[in-house]
Structures are given as structure tokens and as C-alpha cells.
Amino acid sequence: MGERRYRAVRGWFLARPAALWALRAANRLLPALVCLAYLGLLGCLALGRDARLWRAMAVPAAAFALGSALRAALNRPRPYEVYGLEPLINKQTKGRSFPSRHLLSAAVIAAACRWASPPLGLAMALATALLAPARVLAGVHFVRDVAAGAALGAAFGWVGFWALG
């Protein structure tokens, strides 16, 4: 989205308090849901003394570390910095927009969940799919940021959970 589109979207949400509330709730609740599901998955694997626990921890940790390093190295600005707009959610971070770490984490966690529990993985994939537009509509990421984050997280998941056996 370009500046005109971000301004129009921002105006649309500001004119509709219920929609703005829902957008803000999605930006808070979806990451929390993914985090809780992941902690639950790790807890179940640990309680069951399941050998998959270590991979379920290592793959997302590696994805998070690489994504964070890439963000710091590229240091791409966020839409609210580029266009001089106040984001629709509380966010003041400067730079480090690409790739979206929220989407990278959600996608690799969805992969971890699918690897261990397909129904949970499907639910987390849905949460990831809903989080992507929420981050863009809130004005904290460009579409390329969330697309790259989701793709990188999915790639880590595929390599870490299926390609390596």
C-alpha cells in the first residue's frame, strides 16, 4: 500500500470505533493466542517426554534469531515513519520492519504445531493468516514485511520439521 492507501485505511478505522477496537484486539490477541498455543505444545511435549520437544524449540528459536538479525541488518523503515502517520496500534519502534517478526514467529510456530498436532497447526495457520492483514492495516508493516516474515517462517518450518526428516 502506498501513502494514499494507508491514509484512507487509517481514516476508515478512525471513523469506525468498533472496527478500530477489533483491529487493535486482533493485533493483541492473535500473537497472544499463537504464543499460548506454542507454550501449550511445548508443555505437552515435555510432559509426555516426547523427543520432538528439542526440535520444536530449536527450529523456532533459530528462525527468530535469524529474522531478528536480518531485521537489524536491513533496518527498513515502517509505514508510519515513511508516511508520517501515527499507527493505529501503540508502536514507536524505528526501523526493523522487514521481515515482520510477528509473522515469522507465527508461521514457524504454526509449522511446529502442524508437525506435532495437525489440528492445532491448522488453527495456528489461520491465526497467522489473520495476523498478516492486521499488522498492515494498523500501519506498522508494509505488505512486503508480513509476506517476507510469513515466507521465512514457513521455510524454516518446512526445512526444520520435514526436509531434515
Side-chain angles (χ1 to χ4, degrees):
M1 288 193 312
E3 180 178 1
R4 253 184 45 222
R5 190 71 167 147
Y6 271 107
R7 288 187 185 282
V9 166
R10 187 174 187 283
W12 188 91
F13 276 102
L14 290 174
R16 292 164 180 81
L20 180 58
W21 180 89
L23 178 66
R24 288 177 173 163
N27 271 285
R28 279 189 317 271
L29 297 177
L30 289 168
L33 173 69
V34 171
C35 181
L36 287 173
Y38 183 55
L39 292 174
L41 172 69
L42 295 179
C44 287
L45 292 174
L47 287 173
R49 298 181 188 260
D50 192 317
R52 296 177 297 173
L53 174 64
W54 301 110
R55 192 183 292 190
M57 291 189 311
V59 173
F64 187 85
L66 180 69
S68 296
L70 185 60
R71 283 163 50 104
L74 296 175
N75 199 27
R76 301 283 279 280
R78 295 171 179 274
Y80 59 82
E81 293 176 272
V82 172
Y83 302 134
L85 297 170
E86 184 176 332
L88 293 173
I89 62 173
N90 186 20
K91 187 78 171 171
Q92 298 172 355
T93 304
K94 301 293 184 200
R96 296 178 290 153
S97 183
F98 181 89
S100 166
R101 202 165 43 197
H102 275 83
L103 269 293
L104 182 148
S105 298
V108 75
I109 288 169
C113 290
R114 185 181 181 293
W115 179 63
S117 169
L120 181 59
L122 180 61
M124 291 306 97
L126 178 60
T128 301
L130 293 172
L131 182 58
R135 302 297 289 170
V136 173
L137 293 172
V140 297
H141 281 294
F142 291 104
V143 171
R144 68 173 183 243
D145 302 336
V146 297
L152 188 58
F156 259 91
W158 181 78
V159 169
F161 298 119
W162 290 281
L164 295 178

mmCIF file with all atom_site columns, all heavy atoms in Angstrom, residues 21-35:
data_model
loop_
_atom_site.group_PDB
_atom_site.id
_atom_site.type_symbol
_atom_site.label_atom_id
_atom_site.label_alt_id
_atom_site.label_comp_id
_atom_site.label_asym_id
_atom_site.label_entity_id
_atom_site.label_seq_id
_atom_site.pdbx_PDB_ins_code
_atom_site.Cartn_x
_atom_site.Cartn_y
_atom_site.Cartn_z
_atom_site.occupancy
_atom_site.B_iso_or_equiv
_atom_site.pdbx_formal_charge
_atom_site.auth_seq_id
_atom_site.auth_comp_id
_atom_site.auth_asym_id
_atom_site.auth_atom_id
_atom_site.pdbx_PDB_model_num
ATOM 1   N N   . TRP A 1 21 ? -11.442 -0.910  17.336 1.00 0.00 ? 21 TRP A N   1
ATOM 2   C CA  . TRP A 1 21 ? -11.309 -1.779  18.505 1.00 0.00 ? 21 TRP A CA  1
ATOM 3   C C   . TRP A 1 21 ? -10.972 -3.202  18.065 1.00 0.00 ? 21 TRP A C   1
ATOM 4   O O   . TRP A 1 21 ? -10.094 -3.849  18.636 1.00 0.00 ? 21 TRP A O   1
ATOM 5   C CB  . TRP A 1 21 ? -12.604 -1.760  19.323 1.00 0.00 ? 21 TRP A CB  1
ATOM 6   C CG  . TRP A 1 21 ? -12.525 -2.636  20.516 1.00 0.00 ? 21 TRP A CG  1
ATOM 7   C CD1 . TRP A 1 21 ? -12.077 -2.287  21.762 1.00 0.00 ? 21 TRP A CD1 1
ATOM 8   C CD2 . TRP A 1 21 ? -12.856 -4.030  20.582 1.00 0.00 ? 21 TRP A CD2 1
ATOM 9   N NE1 . TRP A 1 21 ? -12.121 -3.377  22.598 1.00 0.00 ? 21 TRP A NE1 1
ATOM 10  C CE2 . TRP A 1 21 ? -12.597 -4.459  21.901 1.00 0.00 ? 21 TRP A CE2 1
ATOM 11  C CE3 . TRP A 1 21 ? -13.352 -4.943  19.663 1.00 0.00 ? 21 TRP A CE3 1
ATOM 12  C CZ2 . TRP A 1 21 ? -12.822 -5.768  22.317 1.00 0.00 ? 21 TRP A CZ2 1
ATOM 13  C CZ3 . TRP A 1 21 ? -13.577 -6.250  20.076 1.00 0.00 ? 21 TRP A CZ3 1
ATOM 14  C CH2 . TRP A 1 21 ? -13.314 -6.651  21.381 1.00 0.00 ? 21 TRP A CH2 1
ATOM 15  N N   . ALA A 1 22 ? -11.666 -3.698  17.041 1.00 0.00 ? 22 ALA A N   1
ATOM 16  C CA  . ALA A 1 22 ? -11.428 -5.063  16.552 1.00 0.00 ? 22 ALA A CA  1
ATOM 17  C C   . ALA A 1 22 ? -10.010 -5.203  15.988 1.00 0.00 ? 22 ALA A C   1
ATOM 18  O O   . ALA A 1 22 ? -9.343  -6.216  16.221 1.00 0.00 ? 22 ALA A O   1
ATOM 19  C CB  . ALA A 1 22 ? -12.458 -5.431  15.487 1.00 0.00 ? 22 ALA A CB  1
ATOM 20  N N   . LEU A 1 23 ? -9.539  -4.199  15.264 1.00 0.00 ? 23 LEU A N   1
ATOM 21  C CA  . LEU A 1 23 ? -8.182  -4.236  14.718 1.00 0.00 ? 23 LEU A CA  1
ATOM 22  C C   . LEU A 1 23 ? -7.153  -4.256  15.849 1.00 0.00 ? 23 LEU A C   1
ATOM 23  O O   . LEU A 1 23 ? -6.195  -5.039  15.813 1.00 0.00 ? 23 LEU A O   1
ATOM 24  C CB  . LEU A 1 23 ? -7.937  -3.029  13.808 1.00 0.00 ? 23 LEU A CB  1
ATOM 25  C CG  . LEU A 1 23 ? -6.542  -2.925  13.203 1.00 0.00 ? 23 LEU A CG  1
ATOM 26  C CD1 . LEU A 1 23 ? -6.282  -4.074  12.228 1.00 0.00 ? 23 LEU A CD1 1
ATOM 27  C CD2 . LEU A 1 23 ? -6.373  -1.576  12.507 1.00 0.00 ? 23 LEU A CD2 1
ATOM 28  N N   . ARG A 1 24 ? -7.355  -3.420  16.832 1.00 0.00 ? 24 ARG A N   1
ATOM 29  C CA  . ARG A 1 24 ? -6.432  -3.398  17.969 1.00 0.00 ? 24 ARG A CA  1
ATOM 30  C C   . ARG A 1 24 ? -6.484  -4.707  18.749 1.00 0.00 ? 24 ARG A C   1
ATOM 31  O O   . ARG A 1 24 ? -5.443  -5.214  19.177 1.00 0.00 ? 24 ARG A O   1
ATOM 32  C CB  . ARG A 1 24 ? -6.744  -2.207  18.875 1.00 0.00 ? 24 ARG A CB  1
ATOM 33  C CG  . ARG A 1 24 ? -6.339  -0.891  18.240 1.00 0.00 ? 24 ARG A CG  1
ATOM 34  C CD  . ARG A 1 24 ? -6.710  0.304   19.075 1.00 0.00 ? 24 ARG A CD  1
ATOM 35  N NE  . ARG A 1 24 ? -6.154  1.513   18.492 1.00 0.00 ? 24 ARG A NE  1
ATOM 36  C CZ  . ARG A 1 24 ? -6.564  2.735   18.786 1.00 0.00 ? 24 ARG A CZ  1
ATOM 37  N NH1 . ARG A 1 24 ? -7.534  2.923   19.691 1.00 0.00 ? 24 ARG A NH1 1
ATOM 38  N NH2 . ARG A 1 24 ? -6.006  3.776   18.211 1.00 0.00 ? 24 ARG A NH2 1
ATOM 39  N N   . ALA A 1 25 ? -7.673  -5.247  18.913 1.00 0.00 ? 25 ALA A N   1
ATOM 40  C CA  . ALA A 1 25 ? -7.811  -6.534  19.610 1.00 0.00 ? 25 ALA A CA  1
ATOM 41  C C   . ALA A 1 25 ? -7.101  -7.636  18.829 1.00 0.00 ? 25 ALA A C   1
ATOM 42  O O   . ALA A 1 25 ? -6.410  -8.470  19.420 1.00 0.00 ? 25 ALA A O   1
ATOM 43  C CB  . ALA A 1 25 ? -9.292  -6.870  19.796 1.00 0.00 ? 25 ALA A CB  1
ATOM 44  N N   . ALA A 1 26 ? -7.245  -7.642  17.519 1.00 0.00 ? 26 ALA A N   1
ATOM 45  C CA  . ALA A 1 26 ? -6.581  -8.664  16.697 1.00 0.00 ? 26 ALA A CA  1
ATOM 46  C C   . ALA A 1 26 ? -5.071  -8.559  16.833 1.00 0.00 ? 26 ALA A C   1
ATOM 47  O O   . ALA A 1 26 ? -4.382  -9.583  16.921 1.00 0.00 ? 26 ALA A O   1
ATOM 48  C CB  . ALA A 1 26 ? -6.994  -8.517  15.230 1.00 0.00 ? 26 ALA A CB  1
ATOM 49  N N   . ASN A 1 27 ? -4.547  -7.352  16.876 1.00 0.00 ? 27 ASN A N   1
ATOM 50  C CA  . ASN A 1 27 ? -3.103  -7.161  16.998 1.00 0.00 ? 27 ASN A CA  1
ATOM 51  C C   . ASN A 1 27 ? -2.573  -7.547  18.378 1.00 0.00 ? 27 ASN A C   1
ATOM 52  O O   . ASN A 1 27 ? -1.383  -7.820  18.520 1.00 0.00 ? 27 ASN A O   1
ATOM 53  C CB  . ASN A 1 27 ? -2.727  -5.717  16.654 1.00 0.00 ? 27 ASN A CB  1
ATOM 54  C CG  . ASN A 1 27 ? -2.462  -5.537  15.191 1.00 0.00 ? 27 ASN A CG  1
ATOM 55  O OD1 . ASN A 1 27 ? -1.422  -5.949  14.693 1.00 0.00 ? 27 ASN A OD1 1
ATOM 56  N ND2 . ASN A 1 27 ? -3.420  -4.958  14.475 1.00 0.00 ? 27 ASN A ND2 1
ATOM 57  N N   . ARG A 1 28 ? -3.436  -7.577  19.384 1.00 0.00 ? 28 ARG A N   1
ATOM 58  C CA  . ARG A 1 28 ? -3.041  -8.024  20.719 1.00 0.00 ? 28 ARG A CA  1
ATOM 59  C C   . ARG A 1 28 ? -3.306  -9.507  20.919 1.00 0.00 ? 28 ARG A C   1
ATOM 60  O O   . ARG A 1 28 ? -2.466  -10.232 21.432 1.00 0.00 ? 28 ARG A O   1
ATOM 61  C CB  . ARG A 1 28 ? -3.805  -7.238  21.795 1.00 0.00 ? 28 ARG A CB  1
ATOM 62  C CG  . ARG A 1 28 ? -3.253  -5.888  22.112 1.00 0.00 ? 28 ARG A CG  1
ATOM 63  C CD  . ARG A 1 28 ? -3.928  -5.273  23.343 1.00 0.00 ? 28 ARG A CD  1
ATOM 64  N NE  . ARG A 1 28 ? -5.377  -5.431  23.376 1.00 0.00 ? 28 ARG A NE  1
ATOM 65  C CZ  . ARG A 1 28 ? -6.258  -4.576  22.846 1.00 0.00 ? 28 ARG A CZ  1
ATOM 66  N NH1 . ARG A 1 28 ? -5.843  -3.501  22.243 1.00 0.00 ? 28 ARG A NH1 1
ATOM 67  N NH2 . ARG A 1 28 ? -7.550  -4.804  22.941 1.00 0.00 ? 28 ARG A NH2 1
ATOM 68  N N   . LEU A 1 29 ? -4.497  -9.947  20.528 1.00 0.00 ? 29 LEU A N   1
ATOM 69  C CA  . LEU A 1 29 ? -4.934  -11.300 20.859 1.00 0.00 ? 29 LEU A CA  1
ATOM 70  C C   . LEU A 1 29 ? -4.344  -12.382 19.963 1.00 0.00 ? 29 LEU A C   1
ATOM 71  O O   . LEU A 1 29 ? -4.045  -13.479 20.460 1.00 0.00 ? 29 LEU A O   1
ATOM 72  C CB  . LEU A 1 29 ? -6.463  -11.371 20.833 1.00 0.00 ? 29 LEU A CB  1
ATOM 73  C CG  . LEU A 1 29 ? -7.161  -10.488 21.864 1.00 0.00 ? 29 LEU A CG  1
ATOM 74  C CD1 . LEU A 1 29 ? -8.676  -10.574 21.715 1.00 0.00 ? 29 LEU A CD1 1
ATOM 75  C CD2 . LEU A 1 29 ? -6.737  -10.858 23.274 1.00 0.00 ? 29 LEU A CD2 1
ATOM 76  N N   . LEU A 1 30 ? -4.176  -12.124 18.676 1.00 0.00 ? 30 LEU A N   1
ATOM 77  C CA  . LEU A 1 30 ? -3.636  -13.160 17.796 1.00 0.00 ? 30 LEU A CA  1
ATOM 78  C C   . LEU A 1 30 ? -2.208  -13.556 18.177 1.00 0.00 ? 30 LEU A C   1
ATOM 79  O O   . LEU A 1 30 ? -1.921  -14.754 18.293 1.00 0.00 ? 30 LEU A O   1
ATOM 80  C CB  . LEU A 1 30 ? -3.746  -12.749 16.326 1.00 0.00 ? 30 LEU A CB  1
ATOM 81  C CG  . LEU A 1 30 ? -5.173  -12.740 15.776 1.00 0.00 ? 30 LEU A CG  1
ATOM 82  C CD1 . LEU A 1 30 ? -5.225  -12.037 14.423 1.00 0.00 ? 30 LEU A CD1 1
ATOM 83  C CD2 . LEU A 1 30 ? -5.741  -14.140 15.684 1.00 0.00 ? 30 LEU A CD2 1
ATOM 84  N N   . PRO A 1 31 ? -1.292  -12.608 18.413 1.00 0.00 ? 31 PRO A N   1
ATOM 85  C CA  . PRO A 1 31 ? 0.046   -13.025 18.870 1.00 0.00 ? 31 PRO A CA  1
ATOM 86  C C   . PRO A 1 31 ? -0.003  -13.754 20.213 1.00 0.00 ? 31 PRO A C   1
ATOM 87  O O   . PRO A 1 31 ? 0.731   -14.726 20.429 1.00 0.00 ? 31 PRO A O   1
ATOM 88  C CB  . PRO A 1 31 ? 0.825   -11.711 18.985 1.00 0.00 ? 31 PRO A CB  1
ATOM 89  C CG  . PRO A 1 31 ? 0.121   -10.776 18.067 1.00 0.00 ? 31 PRO A CG  1
ATOM 90  C CD  . PRO A 1 31 ? -1.334  -11.172 18.142 1.00 0.00 ? 31 PRO A CD  1
ATOM 91  N N   . ALA A 1 32 ? -0.892  -13.313 21.108 1.00 0.00 ? 32 ALA A N   1
ATOM 92  C CA  . ALA A 1 32 ? -1.009  -13.991 22.404 1.00 0.00 ? 32 ALA A CA  1
ATOM 93  C C   . ALA A 1 32 ? -1.532  -15.410 22.228 1.00 0.00 ? 32 ALA A C   1
ATOM 94  O O   . ALA A 1 32 ? -1.040  -16.344 22.879 1.00 0.00 ? 32 ALA A O   1
ATOM 95  C CB  . ALA A 1 32 ? -1.937  -13.195 23.325 1.00 0.00 ? 32 ALA A CB  1
ATOM 96  N N   . LEU A 1 33 ? -2.486  -15.599 21.339 1.00 0.00 ? 33 LEU A N   1
ATOM 97  C CA  . LEU A 1 33 ? -3.025  -16.930 21.062 1.00 0.00 ? 33 LEU A CA  1
ATOM 98  C C   . LEU A 1 33 ? -1.943  -17.853 20.519 1.00 0.00 ? 33 LEU A C   1
ATOM 99  O O   . LEU A 1 33 ? -1.806  -18.996 20.963 1.00 0.00 ? 33 LEU A O   1
ATOM 100 C CB  . LEU A 1 33 ? -4.180  -16.826 20.061 1.00 0.00 ? 33 LEU A CB  1
ATOM 101 C CG  . LEU A 1 33 ? -4.749  -18.142 19.545 1.00 0.00 ? 33 LEU A CG  1
ATOM 102 C CD1 . LEU A 1 33 ? -5.479  -18.869 20.651 1.00 0.00 ? 33 LEU A CD1 1
ATOM 103 C CD2 . LEU A 1 33 ? -5.666  -17.880 18.364 1.00 0.00 ? 33 LEU A CD2 1
ATOM 104 N N   . VAL A 1 34 ? -1.147  -17.352 19.574 1.00 0.00 ? 34 VAL A N   1
ATOM 105 C CA  . VAL A 1 34 ? -0.061  -18.155 18.997 1.00 0.00 ? 34 VAL A CA  1
ATOM 106 C C   . VAL A 1 34 ? 0.952   -18.511 20.079 1.00 0.00 ? 34 VAL A C   1
ATOM 107 O O   . VAL A 1 34 ? 1.405   -19.657 20.171 1.00 0.00 ? 34 VAL A O   1
ATOM 108 C CB  . VAL A 1 34 ? 0.602   -17.413 17.810 1.00 0.00 ? 34 VAL A CB  1
ATOM 109 C CG1 . VAL A 1 34 ? 1.856   -18.133 17.347 1.00 0.00 ? 34 VAL A CG1 1
ATOM 110 C CG2 . VAL A 1 34 ? -0.382  -17.265 16.657 1.00 0.00 ? 34 VAL A CG2 1
ATOM 111 N N   . CYS A 1 35 ? 1.295   -17.552 20.905 1.00 0.00 ? 35 CYS A N   1
ATOM 112 C CA  . CYS A 1 35 ? 2.254   -17.794 21.990 1.00 0.00 ? 35 CYS A CA  1
ATOM 113 C C   . CYS A 1 35 ? 1.728   -18.837 22.969 1.00 0.00 ? 35 CYS A C   1
ATOM 114 O O   . CYS A 1 35 ? 2.451   -19.769 23.347 1.00 0.00 ? 35 CYS A O   1
ATOM 115 C CB  . CYS A 1 35 ? 2.550   -16.482 22.706 1.00 0.00 ? 35 CYS A CB  1
ATOM 116 S SG  . CYS A 1 35 ? 3.747   -16.644 24.039 1.00 0.00 ? 35 CYS A SG  1
#
